[in-house]
Amino acid sequence: MMQIILPLFVLTASCLGSPVSQTRRFPNDFLWGVGSSSYQIEGGWNADDKGESIWDFLTHTHPEKIVDRSNGDVSADSYHQWKRDVQMVKELHVGTYRFSLSWPRIMPGGYMNHVSTAGIKYYSNLIDELLRYNITPMVTIYHWELPQKLQELGGWTNPEIIPLFKDYARLVLEMYGDRVKIWTTVNEPWHVCEHGYGVDYMAPSYNYPGIPAYLCGHNLLKAHAEVVHMYRELFQPRQGGRMGITLDTSWPEPRDPNSAEDREASERAMQFYVGWFGHPIFSKHGNYPKVMIERIRNLSKEQGFGARSRLPEFTTEEIHRIRGTSDFFGINSYTSNLVTSNGHNNTGKFPVPSFNHDMGVVESQEGVDWPGSGSVWLKVYPKGMYNLLMWIHREYNAPEIIVTENGVSDRGGLEDYARVDYYNLYLSAVLDAMEDGANISGYIAWSLMDSYEWKAGFSEKFGLYHVDFNSPQRTRTPKISARVFAQLCKTNTIDWSYRPKLDEEQQLVAMAQLPAEARTSGASGAVSWSLMGILLLALLR
């Protein structure tokens, strides 16, 4: 089906006046990468002297919170299969591999008194192997793997986390900074704080709305700033690298673009999702967004909290210390939502107090005809990526932007033409933003391989490479998308006409790896998109 759609898609979109080209080029110096994270791929949860992480604790103590009751104890077993991982990165022709360090693998209890030699050696070997093939390591210091012992102190809600995170960062900068030239301090602080503390979702899964998430954010911003200042003072002059942070959001599309109220809801959502962490670091004057400060202060007073806002206040000195502490703007985004105002009658039925009630925005994807994916929350709307990138460009005075995660899920299979189309569509939106002035220097696909997808367990697949989780070796096999993405990175070109097929051997492997119901129905495991959906996406450019 998808093989037939492409020429018709290009032809029809062109006839209707959409500026679709079969090929579009990125600049020659554009940074191409692929990403992963430690808990999602490594396994080896108790190998050598690794300590327990908050995700180990959550999945072992409450398996019912995971869709398939699985955990990351072994996952893709990258703790042992790291050489194959590097070969895959090499096969993709990307110049950069974005991966994260596991804090409890390096410092089992979270403190300097116990540093794991095996943990230090694991990442050192991985970095050396990447450099051997001229692949640039892009290292995330914190991608949600907090040592459980530190969570028992309150985790990110306890200010004690600031010096502890700084100690951990100092150690890894001393160990790896001579070889690692691109660092990010924290991946997706909104998820760390709101999904970790505000709701029952990500570890530590507090489900305590409206208060601890803001304490988490406050300490996280200060910890980030301290690490960046330490890097700039002690390491950057001799190591010559760069350090930033990665934020995330889904684009909030006004439900009715002609409604001033819906447009205001969209802007408010951006200030709460991105501005919460982006404004203190990237804006001209620093501090939290004005709308956050005022809304949370006023609502706190109405709710009987007295004169003290649930959103902590920065001192003038702290505002200045945090502002400017990123060498680039990392952004992760996958999808969009339609938004409208919550209103005074709380139509969204949000807990009071809560982040969502404070924001006052109702989000949904009801009524849209955007193509779906393997995840209920992820629908395909590339114009949202363009809108997001242009918003960052305007809001923060044209920072250098690196798209640090973007990709799509399915439920399995090697013939993932829907993923190929997703990448082509979203990369076209990135190019549109670049042509309209946004300073975008790189794009990192999510993800290198199928892995543990947090609350979804192994039920959703984002990988360019299939992983056989039933194989002791966790055998990796390239999907169609891996070949297309490799061609794209090699040529800097989006080529809609490049639609490779599996050879006979790969087809047999693909069929063997599909669930029984998919084999009997003849499904390829790829998400199917309608012709109308594809045409609509073209017209939205």
Side-chain angles (χ1 to χ4, degrees), residues 55 58 65-68 200-202 205 453-457:
W55 276 94
L58 176 73
K65 293 192 175 189
I66 310 302
V67 167
D68 56 7
D200 181 7
Y201 200 73
M202 297 293 191
S205 199
E453 285 300 329
W454 312 111
K455 293 278 280 193

Side-chain angles (χ1 to χ4, degrees), residues 410 413-421 463-464 479-482 524 526-527:
D410 58 26
L414 299 181
E415 294 182 283
D416 57 342
Y417 292 104
R419 181 170 288 109
V420 170
D421 292 330
L464 293 163
K479 303 178 188 179
I480 292 291
S481 60
S524 70
V527 178

Side-chain angles (χ1 to χ4, degrees), residues 7-22 535 538-539:
L8 186 55
F9 156 57
V10 175
L11 176 63
T12 309
S14 301
C15 291
L16 292 172
S18 183
V20 172
S21 167
Q22 287 238 200
L535 292 175
L539 294 171

Side-chain angles (χ1 to χ4, degrees), residues 275-276 278-281 283 285-289 293 312-314 319 323:
W276 181 3
H279 207 274
I281 296 170
S283 71
H285 299 293
N287 206 355
Y288 295 120
I293 294 170
E313 292 183 17
F314 288 120
I319 290 169
R323 191 172 68 82

Side-chain angles (χ1 to χ4, degrees), residues 3 14 80 114 132 134 168 224 301 354 417:
Q3 298 286 346
S14 301
H80 299 104
H114 182 187
R132 182 179 162 201
N134 296 315
Y168 162 50
H224 156 82
K301 194 171 182 180
S354 66
Y417 292 104

Side-chain angles (χ1 to χ4, degrees), residues 11 33 101 191 214 336 396 491 496 539:
L11 176 63
L101 308 175
H191 272 83
Y214 297 132
S336 298
Y396 300 121
T491 62
W496 279 95
L539 294 171

Side-chain angles (χ1 to χ4, degrees), residues 514-526:
L514 284 176
E517 62 272 19
R519 288 199 297 271
T520 55
S521 66
S524 70

Side-chain angles (χ1 to χ4, degrees), residues 263-373:
R263 291 197 303 272
E264 287 168 13
S266 172
E267 176 61 21
R268 196 160 66 247
M270 285 301 294
Q271 294 295 346
F272 269 73
Y273 280 119
V274 177
W276 181 3
F277 299 96
H279 207 274
I281 296 170
F282 296 99
S283 71
K284 185 177 180 182
H285 299 293
N287 206 355
Y288 295 120
K290 187 180 177 184
V291 67
M292 272 192 88
I293 294 170
E294 291 180 352
R295 283 184 67 90
I296 298 171
R297 182 181 60 216
N298 293 339
L299 284 167
S300 296
K301 194 171 182 180
E302 285 176 25
Q303 292 155 0
F305 286 90
R308 192 160 171 242
S309 175
R310 287 176 286 105
L311 181 68
E313 292 183 17
F314 288 120
T315 65
T316 303
E317 183 183 354
E318 287 168 342
I319 290 169
H320 291 309
R321 187 142 179 91
I322 294 167
R323 191 172 68 82
T325 53
S326 192
D327 295 329
F328 54 87
F329 195 119
I331 187 69
N332 295 353
S333 193
Y334 293 82
T335 190
S336 298
N337 293 304
L338 296 183
V339 299
T340 189
S341 181
N342 186 38
H344 294 293
N345 58 353
N346 192 13
T347 53
K349 296 183 173 59
F350 300 127
V352 179
S354 66
F355 171 86
N356 283 322
H357 185 261
D358 291 338
M359 180 170 63
V361 174
V362 179
E363 304 166 275
S364 86
Q365 294 177 333
E366 288 179 19
V368 301
D369 48 8
W370 307 337
S373 70

